[in-house]
């Protein structure tokens, strides 16, 4: 195509690209026919940043401010490892909380609270306003519980549907202790070293060739299940998982085995690892529902009773990074780690290698001391990254092999900036970029200050429908 044919018929200007042209003469009804390919014609004014969005980020209160508020209002509290702990504000008490479930936990880093008595949760400002109202009105009724009851019908319906769905799955299953073909089942999942007593203590169920793993809430009531398929696509692949509920799935596997008097716990990345750790060491063991990808803030209050938390994830680079990241959330002062630098794998793998798990537990080292880097430790970490390039390369994109060659994958802790002129396709590419990662289980957060959410979601759904 000749250069003369690329000029706008209205303003006679050369467009920035064949995809976009902003007509300076007749932007509303430009009769430009410069693009003869079947592409979308866009004539738009400049998209300014909106001043009417009135976005107010949630303020994170300092720890000193929250403690000062409790002191000024003479409300008893104690400082835990990750939370400030008090009683439910219905009624207010100036005495230590009892050993029941009426405690309220306020995260010291985010200001978010969870009340076990009211089943209420929210931000510090909501709790603070409620306490002030109760004092002003001289009432002993908790407004938090009243706010939660506004949506009680919807919440109850959701819980009933969830319970019905879980009961429907469990009705087709039997307890592991009643399964006749147990040996074949354990061999299929490669967990022959786990005993029936251990599997029974954690209330494992079986359904034909699948294993159903229960998850319990803080009150030790069944709240979710995870089904592991008994077949693998390859030797290196993990088992197919189906969770109920599908999205709001969080908690700690093995919580039904925890006593109030327990002060030491082992955290693992899989349910089988947790059961093996408990079987060999008799130390209370829990598993994170989503492995090393996330530690949900709502489970932090569950772990307040433990003075020692042992992270037993494995000896690879990703496990060490997850251990360091989670220990910052859990309070490094009480966290210990097994694996990195000790050539000790996860509990189940270590058992297969004839490793004495009790000895491995005794050699757990504090996380904080290893976080103080010496030249010797730094040299080992650098060598480990050079020796395990694939493990530190990040999550690769399924549809962009050239981008994988350039960036080596999406890595945690890195910031990538994409720039370009208006209309060059930045938003379109970032949408495809995030959809690709989202389908692989990577959590994606969008912050757009010029495109409305409805338009953005419509565009991404259209792109996703073409992808699938």
């Amino acid at each position: 195509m000749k250069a003369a044919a690329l000029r706008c018929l209205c303003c006679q200007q050369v467009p920035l690209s064949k995809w976009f042209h902003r007509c300076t003469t007749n932007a509303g009804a430009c009769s430009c026919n410069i693009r003869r390919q079947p592409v979308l014609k866009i004539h738009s004014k400049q998209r300014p940043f909106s001043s009417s969005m009135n976005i107010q980020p949630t303020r994170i209160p300092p720890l000193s401010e929250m403690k000062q508020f409790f002191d000024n209002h003479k409300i008893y509290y104690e400082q835990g490892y990750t939370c400030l702990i008090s009683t439910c504000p219905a009624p207010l008490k100036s005495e230590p909380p009892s050993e029941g479930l009426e405690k309220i936990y306020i995260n010291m880093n985010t200001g978010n609270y969870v009340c076990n008595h009211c089943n209420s949760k929210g931000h510090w400002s909501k709790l603070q306003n409620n306490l002030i109202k109760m004092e002003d009105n001289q009432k002993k009724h908790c407004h938090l519980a009243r706010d939660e009851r506004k949506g009680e019908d919807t919440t109850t319906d959701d819980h009933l549907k969830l319970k019905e769905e879980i009961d429907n799955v469990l009705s087709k299953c039997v307890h592991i202790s009643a399964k006749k073909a147990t040996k074949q089942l354990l061999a299929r999942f490669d967990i022959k070293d786990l005993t029936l007593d251990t599997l029974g203590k954690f209330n494992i169920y079986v359904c034909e060739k699948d294993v159903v793993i229960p998850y319990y809430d803080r009150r030790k009531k069944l709240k979710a299940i995870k089904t592991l398929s008994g077949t693998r696509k390859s030797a290196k692949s993990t088992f197919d998982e189906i969770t109920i509920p599908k999205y709001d799935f969080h908690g700690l596997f093995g919580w039904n085995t925890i006593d109030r008097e327990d002060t030491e716990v082992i955290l693992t990345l899989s349910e089988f690892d947790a059961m093996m750790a408990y079987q060999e060491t008799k130390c209370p063991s829990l598993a994170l529902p989503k492995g090393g990808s996330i530690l949900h803030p709502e489970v932090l209050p569950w772990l307040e009773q433990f003075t020692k938390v042992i992270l037993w994830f494995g000896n690879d680079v990703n496990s060490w990074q997850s251990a360091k990241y989670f220990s910052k959330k859990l309070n490094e002062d009480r966290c210990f780690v097994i694996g990195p630098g000790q050539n000790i794998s996860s509990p189940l793998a270590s058992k297969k290698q004839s490793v004495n798990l009790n000895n491995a537990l005794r050699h757990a080292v504090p996380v904080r001391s290893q976080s103080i880097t010496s030249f010797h430790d730094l040299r080992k970490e650098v060598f480990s990254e050079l020796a395990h390039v694939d493990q530190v390369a990040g999550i690769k994109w399924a549809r962009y092999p050239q981008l994988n060659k350039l960036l080596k994958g999406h890595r945690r802790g890195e910031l990538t900036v994409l720039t370009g002129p208006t209309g060059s396709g930045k938003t379109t590419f970032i949408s495809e970029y995030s959809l690709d990662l989202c389908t692989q289980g990577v959590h994606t957060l969008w912050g757009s200050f010029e495109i409305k959410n409805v338009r953005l979601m419509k565009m991404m759904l259209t792109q996703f429908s073409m992808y699938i």
Side-chain angles (χ1 to χ4, degrees), residues 120-133:
S120 172
K121 57 185 177 181
H123 191 258
W124 165 254
S125 58
K126 176 183 175 181
L127 175 63
Q128 188 179 27
N129 292 336
N130 177 63
L131 296 176
I132 294 175
K133 287 180 181 179

Side-chain angles (χ1 to χ4, degrees), residues 166 169-170 173 189 191 194 199 202-207 210-216 222-229 239-244 249 252-254 256 270-275 287-289:
I166 292 176
V169 173
L170 293 181
C173 304
F189 282 89
I191 53 173
L194 286 173
L199 295 169
F202 286 84
N203 287 337
I204 302 300
Y205 290 83
V206 293
C207 180
D210 299 338
V211 169
V212 179
I213 298 175
Y215 274 75
Y216 298 86
L222 185 64
K223 65 167 293 186
I225 57 174
K226 177 189 291 188
T227 302
L228 301 181
S229 174
F239 297 104
D240 292 335
E241 297 181 359
I242 300 177
T243 60
I244 300 176
F249 183 77
L252 293 171
F253 168 75
N256 59 307
S270 76
E271 295 84 1
F272 294 149
D273 282 328
M275 289 187 284
L288 304 176

Side-chain angles (χ1 to χ4, degrees), residues 126-394:
K126 176 183 175 181
L127 175 63
Q128 188 179 27
N129 292 336
N130 177 63
L131 296 176
I132 294 175
K133 287 180 181 179
M134 292 178 67
E135 284 193 344
D136 293 343
N137 299 331
Q138 295 182 352
K139 292 182 179 181
K140 294 185 178 181
H141 297 286
C142 180
H143 293 275
L144 296 177
R146 185 183 307 170
D147 293 340
E148 294 298 323
R149 284 194 293 270
K150 292 179 180 179
E152 184 176 359
D153 295 337
T154 305
T155 304
T156 303
D157 292 341
D158 293 339
H159 282 301
L160 291 176
K161 291 180 181 178
L162 177 61
K163 185 178 184 301
E164 182 179 354
E165 190 173 359
I166 292 176
D167 291 341
N168 182 42
V169 173
L170 293 181
S171 64
K172 304 175 183 178
C173 304
V174 295
H175 197 268
I176 186 69
S177 60
K179 183 68 176 178
K180 295 181 179 180
T182 304
K183 292 183 178 180
Q184 294 83 347
L185 181 69
L186 298 181
R188 187 180 298 117
F189 282 89
D190 198 16
I191 53 173
K192 295 180 290 185
D193 294 324
L194 286 173
T195 65
L196 288 179
D197 291 339
T198 301
L199 295 169
K201 184 176 180 63
F202 286 84
N203 287 337
I204 302 300
Y205 290 83
V206 293
C207 180
E208 296 182 356
K209 297 182 179 180
D210 299 338
V211 169
V212 179
I213 298 175
Y215 274 75
Y216 298 86
D217 61 13
R218 188 79 188 274
R219 301 172 186 268
K220 298 185 178 181
K221 295 182 179 179
L222 185 64
K223 65 167 293 186
I225 57 174
K226 177 189 291 188
T227 302
L228 301 181
S229 174
T231 57
R232 285 184 173 184
K233 298 179 181 179
S234 64
K236 295 183 178 180
S237 65
T238 57
F239 297 104
D240 292 335
E241 297 181 359
I242 300 177
T243 60
I244 300 176
K246 185 176 181 180
Y247 299 107
D248 189 21
F249 183 77
H250 57 81
L252 293 171
F253 168 75
W255 187 255
N256 59 307
T257 65
I258 300 298
D259 295 328
R260 291 181 182 177
E261 295 77 18
D262 293 331
T263 59
E264 182 176 333
V265 69
I266 297 174
L267 290 185
T268 66
L269 299 182
S270 76
E271 295 84 1
F272 294 149
D273 282 328
M275 289 187 284
M276 180 57 68
Y278 172 80
Q279 174 180 296
E280 298 298 314
T281 65
K282 301 305 178 184
C283 179
S285 302
L286 303 170
L288 304 176
K290 297 184 179 180
S293 60
I294 186 173
L295 176 62
H296 202 281
E298 288 193 16
V299 306
L300 295 180
W302 301 25
L303 303 173
E304 280 292 335
Q305 74 179 72
F306 302 107
T307 58
K308 184 177 182 179
V309 179
I310 303 166
L311 307 177
W312 199 339
F313 294 169
N315 60 351
D316 59 289
V317 177
N318 290 335
S319 297
W320 172 229
Q321 291 179 347
S322 297
K324 290 194 294 185
Y325 177 69
F326 289 164
S327 64
K328 293 179 180 178
K329 286 189 173 184
L330 295 167
N331 193 327
E332 292 177 332
D333 292 336
R334 60 169 175 167
C335 290
F336 292 73
V337 65
I338 300 176
Q342 300 171 295
N343 197 25
I344 299 177
S345 303
S346 60
L348 187 61
S350 297
K351 179 62 178 179
K352 295 177 182 178
Q353 299 168 2
S354 301
V355 176
N356 190 315
L357 270 61
N358 282 292
N359 290 337
L361 182 61
R362 285 192 290 267
H363 287 85
V365 295
V367 172
R368 180 173 291 276
S369 62
Q370 291 204 10
S371 298
I372 302 175
T373 305
S374 63
F375 179 77
H376 177 72
D377 295 334
L378 182 61
R379 182 173 59 182
K380 288 198 302 183
E381 290 192 19
V382 171
F383 175 77
S384 179
E385 292 204 4
L386 291 174
H388 305 87
V389 177
D390 293 337
Q391 295 181 6
V392 298

